[in-house]
Amino acid sequence: MDDRGQPAATEPPRTELRVGVVGVGQRAPLATLANRPGVARVVSCADPDPRGRKDARRLFGADVLVRERYEDMLDDGLDAVFVLTPDHLHTGPALFFLDAGTAVFVEKPLAISVDDCDSLLAAAFRSGTRLYVGHNLRHLPMLRRMRELIDKGEIGTVRSIWCRHFVGHGGDFYFKDWHAERAHTNGLLLQKGAHDLDVIHWLAGGYTRDVVAHGTLAVYGDNPRRAARTPVPGGERMPDWYDPDVWPPSALRDLNPVVDIEDLSMMLGRLDNGVLTSYQQCHFTPDYWRNYTVIGDEGRLENFGDGIDGDPATIRVWNRRRSGYRQDADLSVPVPAQQDGLHGGADRALVDEFLRFAAVGGPTETSPVAAREAVACAAAATTSLRTNGTPVAVAAPAPELVDYFGNHQQTARP
């Protein structure tokens, strides 16, 4: 047993975990991966939308308990819960279940404000309840291989990381529903970029402490929108309206009545370990993938293809000789196509880790503090781009929270 009287990380779970799901929407299929006979079972769901409650039975079976309010799940004997609501609604249910002693999985981003992130970290710290954040890219095979190459010293000490995110279906994915409103996302540097900023921090071994950024609504500001009282097609489910044949992006119709976020953003950051970073995000490109370039003092590496949709990728390393342009790298590392579920198998690995963590604790690849740092970085960058590139400092979290989560949430609370 650990110092809180809970099973140590090396002990297997003694019973099948009873799992709940709050928010049965676009991301709900993630929670189907938690149905593991003898390990875990989804037994309870909550969603205020009738479509969500109907989908709960379709996804999790006719016997699943279905609630309208997540507060009513408290009597369902839950050991763990997935919070898969829209981003601006993460904080309420996550705080509720942390205070109730139920292990919590919060989909990324942790929240859309730094204050809410810090409230969630403080609640987990105060209650001793396990908190986990769904940054699945830390489990993506291509990025894990990239991290291994860095750790092996293939490019020396990391000095800079650049990320270009080409969001080829950005109009359909983010400008036809609640994602298009600042009130629900803050901005896409946060909602979409939290993944990439977390990866940048993970590969660089540090956290952003100051940023500058520029951004604009370059394309989707002029697209026709729905009338304010017209419901979103399909009850705010992107697959109902997505049409890959619509091109160019200016041809998209029926955008959200409110569009007050940027579709093109660029930011620069300085990490606490001196690493310089660059992140660019565009929502109207013809292709959809992420490109990371990591530059060290003895070489650089870069991915071609990212494997998120199960496609193959290649990481190329240049570290042995100088030259002009040459496509052939000193080392090419193929990452085979992954057929294991969503996001190239990363979602399954993510759920595996959460179930193990909820049951027995121990170290995890993801980090609530890192999730908070990604939000803080993105929020600061969004402030910068909306104030004409004003430099903005990124405040660090409280030291006691850093220590607590750095110790894998194992320290006894007073």
Side-chain angles (χ1 to χ4, degrees):
M1 306 293 275
D2 68 13
D3 52 14
R4 290 184 293 167
Q6 297 180 347
T10 55
E11 297 179 22
R14 296 192 178 114
T15 59
E16 188 176 73
L17 293 177
R18 292 176 58 85
V19 178
V21 178
V22 179
V24 189
Q26 182 67 28
R27 195 66 171 125
L30 175 75
T32 65
L33 301 174
N35 275 328
R36 313 280 180 82
V39 176
R41 181 166 57 97
V42 175
V43 299
S44 175
C45 296
D47 197 304
D49 185 345
R51 177 175 177 176
R53 297 195 294 274
K54 180 180 178 180
D55 284 349
R57 293 188 175 91
R58 176 178 60 82
L59 290 169
F60 305 111
D63 293 335
V64 70
L65 299 169
V66 179
R67 315 288 191 184
E68 185 172 348
R69 301 170 63 252
Y70 64 79
E71 294 91 343
D72 295 333
M73 300 169 70
L74 195 59
D75 295 329
D76 295 341
L78 300 179
D79 301 299
V81 65
F82 286 84
V83 176
L84 306 178
T85 65
D87 301 346
H88 65 295
L89 301 177
H90 285 176
T91 304
L95 286 174
F96 177 81
F97 286 103
L98 287 171
D99 287 341
T102 304
V104 176
F105 176 114
V106 182
E107 174 64 324
K108 75 87 199 167
L110 178 58
I112 66 168
S113 74
V114 180
D115 285 346
D116 278 355
C117 288
D118 287 343
S119 293
L120 290 168
L121 296 184
F125 174 73
R126 179 181 64 251
S127 67
T129 306
R130 291 169 180 149
L131 173 63
Y132 188 92
V133 187
H135 276 287
N136 57 355
L137 291 193
R138 292 198 179 203
H139 291 280
L140 187 70
M142 183 277 295
L143 284 167
R144 293 185 68 80
R145 192 72 182 96
M146 188 173 279
R147 172 67 183 260
E148 290 170 4
L149 292 167
I150 292 170
D151 289 345
K152 285 177 60 179
E154 292 287 354
I155 60 170
T157 300
V158 173
R159 301 298 185 184
S160 183
I161 298 181
W162 309 339
C163 177
R164 301 178 298 162
H165 195 171
F166 311 106
V167 191
H169 310 313
D172 272 309
F173 284 17
Y174 301 105
F175 288 85
K176 288 191 172 184
D177 65 2
W178 58 268
H179 293 88
E181 301 187 37
R182 295 183 185 187
H184 298 155
T185 64
N186 189 321
L188 290 176
L189 274 181
L190 194 158
Q191 199 286 332
K192 184 65 169 169
H195 266 322
D196 296 306
L197 296 171
D198 179 62
V199 167
I200 287 171
H201 290 160
W202 184 53
L203 296 180
Y207 294 122
T208 303
R209 286 294 164 255
D210 59 81
V211 297
V212 295
H214 285 286
T216 186
L217 183 58
V219 170
Y220 297 118
D222 296 328
N223 289 51
R225 306 180 188 182
R226 300 186 317 279
R229 294 184 179 274
T230 303
V232 176
E236 300 194 356
R237 302 291 180 84
M238 180 274 298
D240 296 317
W241 64 69
Y242 172 55
D243 184 352
D245 295 326
V246 175
W247 187 261
S250 60
L252 283 175
R253 299 293 184 266
D254 298 323
L255 267 62
N256 197 60
V258 176
V259 177
D260 59 1
I261 58 171
E262 297 77 17
D263 56 17
L264 178 63
S265 303
M266 312 172 83
M267 58 177 284
L268 300 173
R270 185 188 304 274
L271 275 56
D272 49 16
N273 60 2
V275 173
L276 300 181
T277 65
S278 172
Y279 178 54
Q280 297 89 43
Q281 183 188 94
C282 181
H283 286 263
F284 46 86
T285 56
D287 49 344
Y288 194 175
W289 65 293
R290 293 168 166 92
N291 170 261
Y292 299 93
T293 299
V294 185
I295 303 174
D297 52 17
E298 296 178 10
R300 75 177 182 92
L301 55 80
E302 182 176 357
N303 67 289
F304 294 85
D306 57 23
I308 287 178
D309 291 326
D311 299 324
T314 300
I315 302 168
R316 295 177 185 165
V317 182
W318 290 267
N319 63 359
R320 289 185 175 84
R321 59 187 175 92
R322 300 180 184 181
S323 68
Y325 171 76
R326 57 186 171 94
Q327 189 174 14
D328 61 307
D330 297 306
L331 174 64
S332 290
V333 180
V335 182
Q338 306 291 319
Q339 304 302 322
D340 185 18
L342 299 172
H343 295 102
D347 281 3
R348 181 170 294 278
L350 186 78
V351 173
D352 284 347
E353 183 170 77
F354 172 61
L355 295 178
R356 187 269 301 161
F357 179 64
V360 299
T364 59
E365 292 288 350
T366 67
S367 159
V369 165
R372 180 267 188 200
E373 292 280 26
V375 169
C377 171
T382 302
T383 297
S384 177
L385 69 83
R386 292 177 183 163
T387 54
N388 199 31
T390 302
V392 178
V394 182
E400 63 269 23
L401 297 179
V402 175
D403 291 344
Y404 176 66
F405 289 99
N407 197 37
H408 316 302
Q409 307 178 50
Q410 293 178 353
T411 304
R413 304 282 12 102

